[in-house]
Amino acid sequence: MMKITKLVSNIVLGRGCIRELKAFAGELLPDRSGYDVFIVDSVHRNTGTWDQLTPDSGDLMMAVDVSAHEPKTEQVDELCGRIREEKGDALPRVVIGIGGGSAMDTAKAVSVMLTNPGSSADYQGWDRVKEKAVPKIAVPTLAGTGAEASRTAVLSGPVRKLGINSEQSMFNGVLMDPDLLESADPEQAFYTGMDGFIHAVEALNGSAINAMGRPFAEKSKEAIQRFFSGEGSAEELMVGSYLGGASIANSSVGVCHALSYGVSFYLGYRHGIANAIVFQRLEEFYGRDVEALRAMALRNGIELPQDVTAGVSSATLDKMAEMAYLLERDLISAMGEDYRRILPPERIVDLYRRM
Ligand code: NAD
Ligand code: ZN
């Protein structure tokens, strides 16, 4: 079947460009009027970023707290409820998501759910969205997830953690201002960056990648690695993150992401750090890239967590291993159809015990 690759094709890049946000929205959406919704990671009330936003009267400023957990479907539903309470049936001109992967994914999901009935949990999965979403703009304040460019909004729902994966989840534009990265905790910035590095490594080592995905993944990996080796600029890092997101629709993640789901779900680690915990133990799959990640950690003064599964029961480790098989598509890309024989549950548990 014909496959159409969509890219987020409107980009503003440069230090201080946050000041152009309203003008950017106007350029992108000349035919739309109405209020704007800002979905802002609440951390930015204290970083100075909030104060740089210039809402008009009538715009809605909504702070989302992502410090305790990554986004949930109920949070998205609640935000949409509040927008409807304030504005009735009037749709916004644009939804603007400002923050890391969590705030950007929340904004994506809100823009979809303002025009689609029911709960956001009904739309977790592939191409379930029917109605056209409200236009949206991403303003990343962490670089690595690629959420600003990908077609998925990752949410935890009542039954599963799974993205709303659809064309309607894609941003219409991205504004990349490297100044906004500066307030991030260096450890968090490192682990989010490593999420991007690992996406690229897994994409490049998987069979699912095609001629469209490969150059995006290669350049993403190069830019992220250069930055964390002290060579590249923050601008390049942001572009690297964007390119990683652009590669996802034409590739797949692999063993690390499959195993990291259990580490997040059962042991409570955030996405980026969970991936780094797992990746360290995957030398047999990703060889020299594991060395490269260790070298970047050392250079950036990051101590990768060790012994995180000490004291975790065998029963829990078994459940974590079962969870890994939910990412079947990614495991097939990494190892072929025979993945259960190559990586049986007891081998996954053995890897977990060494983390
Ligand atoms: P995050 O958005 O969860 O933020 C991590 C922490 O950093 C939070 O406490 C946040 O408040 C804080 N923070 C963010 N920017 C800051 C800044 N500039 N200054 C100070 N603090 C800041 O982290 P993330 O790693 O960017 O995103 C992780 C989420 O992205 C997960 O939910 C993951 O599943 C999702 N994800 C999505 C995609 C996609 O394609 N949609 C891809 C990979 C990961
Ligand atoms: Zn990831």
Side-chain angles (χ1 to χ4, degrees):
M1 204 182 109
M2 177 175 69
K3 173 170 173 151
I4 301 177
T5 296
K6 289 221 168 187
L7 298 171
V8 178
S9 50
N10 299 289
I11 297 166
V12 172
L13 170 68
R15 291 200 178 270
C17 70
I18 186 71
R19 291 190 290 275
E20 315 286 335
L21 179 56
K22 275 276 180 180
F24 182 37
E27 282 288 325
L28 278 186
L29 305 161
D31 302 327
R32 279 181 79 93
S33 55
Y35 62 100
D36 295 349
V37 174
F38 291 75
I39 299 209
V40 191
D41 184 329
S42 57
V43 77
H44 291 304
R45 285 188 189 281
N46 304 315
T47 61
T49 296
W50 184 283
D51 303 325
Q52 287 182 272
L53 303 173
T54 52
D56 294 314
S57 68
D59 288 353
L60 293 181
M61 296 290 285
M62 308 183 97
V64 288
D65 183 356
V66 302
S67 59
H69 54 75
E70 291 170 343
K72 296 188 177 193
T73 52
E74 62 191 29
Q75 212 176 358
V76 169
D77 296 347
E78 195 256 332
L79 285 166
C80 290
R82 273 169 52 200
I83 295 170
R84 290 196 186 99
E85 227 166 74
E86 287 263 347
K87 301 288 186 182
D89 288 338
L91 289 174
R93 171 176 77 146
V94 63
V95 173
I96 302 169
I98 303 170
S102 293
M104 289 190 280
D105 280 352
T106 305
K108 285 179 175 184
V110 165
S111 84
V112 166
M113 292 315 301
L114 286 173
T115 54
N116 284 274
S119 160
S120 50
D122 305 335
Y123 298 88
Q124 287 178 284
W126 272 263
D127 297 314
R128 304 177 79 146
V129 178
K130 299 279 176 292
E131 303 297 332
K132 203 169 161 51
V134 171
K136 50 198 159 294
I137 292 174
V139 181
T141 70
L142 282 171
T145 66
E148 63 276 26
S150 75
R151 75 196 292 283
T152 182
V154 181
L155 300 176
S156 292
V159 264
R160 58 186 157 245
K161 177 176 172 183
L162 186 64
I164 299 181
N165 200 311
S166 79
E167 258 173 38
Q168 296 306 322
S169 315
M170 292 186 72
F171 284 108
N172 300 66
V174 189
L175 182 142
M176 302 179 200
D177 181 344
D179 285 347
L180 306 183
L181 304 178
E182 280 176 8
S183 54
D185 167 58
E187 275 211 0
Q188 179 63 59
F190 177 78
Y191 286 120
T192 298
M194 289 306 105
D195 184 28
F197 177 74
I198 295 168
H199 283 168
V201 169
E202 294 189 298
L204 291 166
N205 284 281
S207 61
I209 198 162
N210 62 26
M212 178 68 80
R214 182 173 295 280
F216 285 133
E218 281 170 351
K219 283 294 161 193
S220 171
K221 182 180 170 201
E222 187 185 312
I224 295 172
Q225 204 166 352
R226 271 172 54 79
F227 180 79
F228 289 102
S229 306
E231 291 161 21
S233 67
E235 272 97 337
E236 282 175 64
L237 174 68
M238 295 192 97
V239 174
S241 173
Y242 166 87
L243 292 175
S247 85
I248 290 177
N250 288 287
S251 63
S252 139
V253 287
V255 182
C256 182
H257 272 74
L259 267 61
S260 89
Y261 265 48
V263 175
S264 287
F265 193 84
Y266 287 103
L267 310 183
Y269 287 95
R270 298 186 86 94
H271 184 75
I273 191 165
N275 277 323
I277 287 169
V278 175
F279 195 70
Q280 290 179 77
R281 297 289 169 255
L282 298 182
E283 292 98 336
E284 59 198 296
F285 296 98
Y286 302 121
R288 296 216 327 247
D289 292 316
V290 174
E291 283 309 311
L293 184 139
R294 289 209 185 101
M296 287 187 273
L298 194 64
R299 191 182 184 285
N300 290 277
I302 305 289
E303 261 186 59
L304 296 170
Q306 308 293 331
D307 300 327
V308 305
T309 54
V312 176
S313 71
S314 297
T316 302
L317 294 176
D318 287 344
K319 284 191 208 147
M320 288 164 64
E322 267 321 304
M323 187 165 258
Y325 291 123
L326 293 177
L327 277 84
E328 188 183 26
R329 179 176 169 269
D330 306 304
L331 292 173
I332 291 176
S333 172
M335 288 173 280
E337 297 285 343
D338 219 10
Y339 65 89
R340 260 187 194 262
R341 193 186 53 76
I342 298 168
L343 196 62
E346 56 277 15
R347 212 171 141 210
I348 300 182
V349 168
D350 187 51
L351 284 167
Y352 279 142
R353 283 194 204 286
R354 294 200 282 122
M355 287 172 196

